[in-house]
Amino acid sequence: MPDKEQALAAAARTAKNMRRAIIRMTHLAQGGHPGGCLSATDLLAALYEGFMRVDPRDPRRSDRDFFFLSKGHAAPALYAVLMEKGFLNPWEITDFRAKTGRLPAYPSCELTPGVDIASGSLGQGLSVANGAALAARLNGTDQRAYVMLGDGELHEGQVWEAMMTAAHFRLANVCAIVDYNKLQLDGPVDEVKTLGDLRGKWDRFGWHVLEINGHDLSAIYDAFAAARDWQEGPSVLIAHTVKGKGISFMEDEVGWHAAAPSDEEYAAAMKELS
Amino acid sequence: MDVKIAPREAYGRALVELGRENEDIVVLDADVAKASMTVLFKEAFPDRFFDLGIAESDIMATGAGFAVAGKIPFVNAYANFLLGNGWEQLRLSICYAGQNVKVVGHNIGASSAKDGPTHLPLEDIALARVIPGLTVLEPADAIEMKKAVRAVAAHAGPVYMRVGRMPTPLVTREDDPFVLGRANILRPGRDVTIVACGCMAAKALSAAAELAARGLEAEVVNLHTIKPLDEETLLASARKTRAVVTAEEHSTRAGMGSAVAEFLAGRCPVPVRMVGSRDIFGICASYEDIQEFFGMTAAKIVEEAEKACSMRDI
């Protein structure tokens, strides 16, 4: 694994390229969820550049780390980081949500190299991560299972079942990431159904909680490192993020949860990312 | 048919045998290990047994995670809670994701008896068989269960298996072949076909004996694999007898009988009469009384067989 300085330099480049790919994919497909992709971008960039042990030449290598995108609507962000890491070809951006190709609207592990589980129905990813982590423990490997959850996704009861499972089995090789951008499809999370004391809830469920700014690459790196070094049980990064981060007119706008940029908006966004 | 053994006992023992041979076998249970008999596996291989508590959605997707990491998980709970609470997880994280997970439903049909309607899974075959890529089966007796566990583990892909709780007469023999997707004919006949699964296979044989006394030779098909259907065997039998009865410990809406009828309607449209629960919840009663209430009896199979024959003859 690279050291922190190398990882941060790579993550900054990767995050910028990811944002451009996300805007291009959602514009070309005239669909998708750009807001929640852009909020997750820096987290994914830091994770893949600093911590994920994966091999694009052998995506199913038996000693790989696992990443599960439980908030499946952020598929373009996942595809973008997989392009950066060599699992997918850059020209495949035209295939997002297309009839053919390998980039369906929501992740499919059968279609896309580097994707380990299908998602799109919210609430399931943490359970999947626990299963992979328990298997790794059984095999005596040091593999880690990362899972990214949306904030609105935490309304799903299964997440809380899985939180108990990870804590009960003291799964130190599980690291959850909450992309806490405070907005969901119908409006602000606090108005739809508040998450209340989110840090306290994870803490009381037996998790090691790391609360960070989800756009500060250095802070993200340090949190992943602290999670990796924590041996007592599972860790969660509660990452405060901004929906639409990086594109001025998309930031903190609920309308960009699920909306495609027009030609004009595309041009303006790409200019900001140049 | 005098000896009765609970399929779940055979299931629990077969899992232990399998666990001994293959260290990738892991068993997950949702706080019903004594009922599912996975407690035997727990005692033999405590490291490979995981009780996830009363959390059927969680256990289903956790099974998917084990499979992602190369294990062969058997996921156990009561059939209605597992397929009900875990259906979306079964659909997405297991079947759409193509994961090699073995989902096992317990306390099926009328077997929870006096626990009543909340605990009688009569819809789980329906919930399972609409999902693409999922193999669905219900072995007929303890001997077949033992073979089924091996076949299920050897099959690469998701499976849903129903496991009987009640002691059930032995209708198959140790040397009978067992191949997923290939039905076994328990008794040949030319006048009417009885297609049965699970504990209803024994009742179908009793019904066939009664029908023989009334001058009708029934062919009894043990349809242990409900999906994929053994179309060849069903077609050959239906073409020969031109009258079909199905018998299952499940609703006749969207269950095994419906699968048979859907197929025959397009290939060999003969009368298909179904034995199973109608569109109705159960009651709290003894196992025998509930089977009577639902008409899951040999007498009902006889009645429906005669009806099917009379419809054919019109």
Side-chain angles (χ1 to χ4, degrees), chain A residues 182-196:
Chain A
K182 324 285 188 301
L183 296 175
Q184 59 187 113
L185 185 55
D186 271 356
V189 178
D190 266 345
E191 287 177 19
V192 175
K193 189 158 78 177
T194 184
L195 300 175

Side-chain angles (χ1 to χ4, degrees), chain B residues 108-130:
Chain B
I108 56 172
S111 65
S112 286
K114 289 191 173 178
D115 280 338
T118 57
H119 282 60
L120 303 180
L122 298 163
E123 308 86 4
D124 52 308
I125 294 175
L127 289 167
R129 76 180 191 87
V130 287

Side-chain angles (χ1 to χ4, degrees), chain A residues 89-90 141 186 248 262:
Chain A
N89 302 303
T141 71
D186 271 356
S248 58
S262 66

Side-chain angles (χ1 to χ4, degrees), chain B residues 15-220:
Chain B
L15 269 187
V16 173
E17 269 180 43
L18 200 61
R20 205 164 279 137
E21 296 162 21
N22 186 344
E23 64 177 21
D24 282 334
I25 303 287
V26 296
V27 173
L28 283 66
D29 204 302
D31 195 36
V32 294
K34 288 174 199 144
S36 66
M37 301 297 282
T38 63
V39 66
L40 299 176
F41 190 94
K42 177 186 180 178
E43 285 161 4
F45 309 103
D47 293 349
R48 285 192 266 149
F49 176 85
F50 303 90
D51 199 327
L52 267 72
I54 308 158
E56 291 84 6
S57 311
D58 185 37
I59 199 176
M60 198 72 102
T62 305
F66 270 101
V68 167
K71 298 295 179 189
I72 305 173
F74 280 71
V75 172
N76 300 268
Y78 289 169
N80 49 333
F81 306 139
L82 188 56
L83 272 281
N85 287 322
W87 189 83
E88 175 58 31
Q89 290 74 13
L90 174 60
R91 176 180 183 270
L92 176 77
S93 287
I94 296 178
C95 294
Y96 177 61
Q99 298 301 342
N100 189 24
V101 180
K102 318 307 177 184
V103 177
V104 186
H106 295 272
N107 283 22
I108 56 172
S111 65
S112 286
K114 289 191 173 178
D115 280 338
T118 57
H119 282 60
L120 303 180
L122 298 163
E123 308 86 4
D124 52 308
I125 294 175
L127 289 167
R129 76 180 191 87
V130 287
I131 304 180
L134 184 61
T135 295
V136 181
L137 72 155
E138 182 180 353
D141 64 13
I143 294 171
E144 192 164 81
M145 178 59 67
K146 189 169 57 178
K147 300 172 191 168
V149 170
R150 284 187 178 281
V152 161
H155 173 75
V159 174
Y160 174 60
M161 179 164 73
R162 295 184 111 202
V163 175
R165 171 190 178 88
M166 304 303 282
T168 303
L170 298 178
V171 296
T172 70
R173 290 181 306 251
E174 291 286 350
D175 57 354
D176 285 341
F178 182 85
V179 179
L180 282 178
R182 188 152 324 149
N184 292 340
I185 292 176
L186 295 178
R187 172 191 171 122
R190 61 174 189 278
D191 297 325
V192 60
T193 301
I194 305 172
V195 183
C197 60
C199 71
M200 296 306 288
K203 296 185 197 300
L205 286 172
S206 302
E210 172 61 24
L211 286 164
R214 299 184 189 190
L216 284 173
E217 287 303 324
E219 178 150 290
V220 177

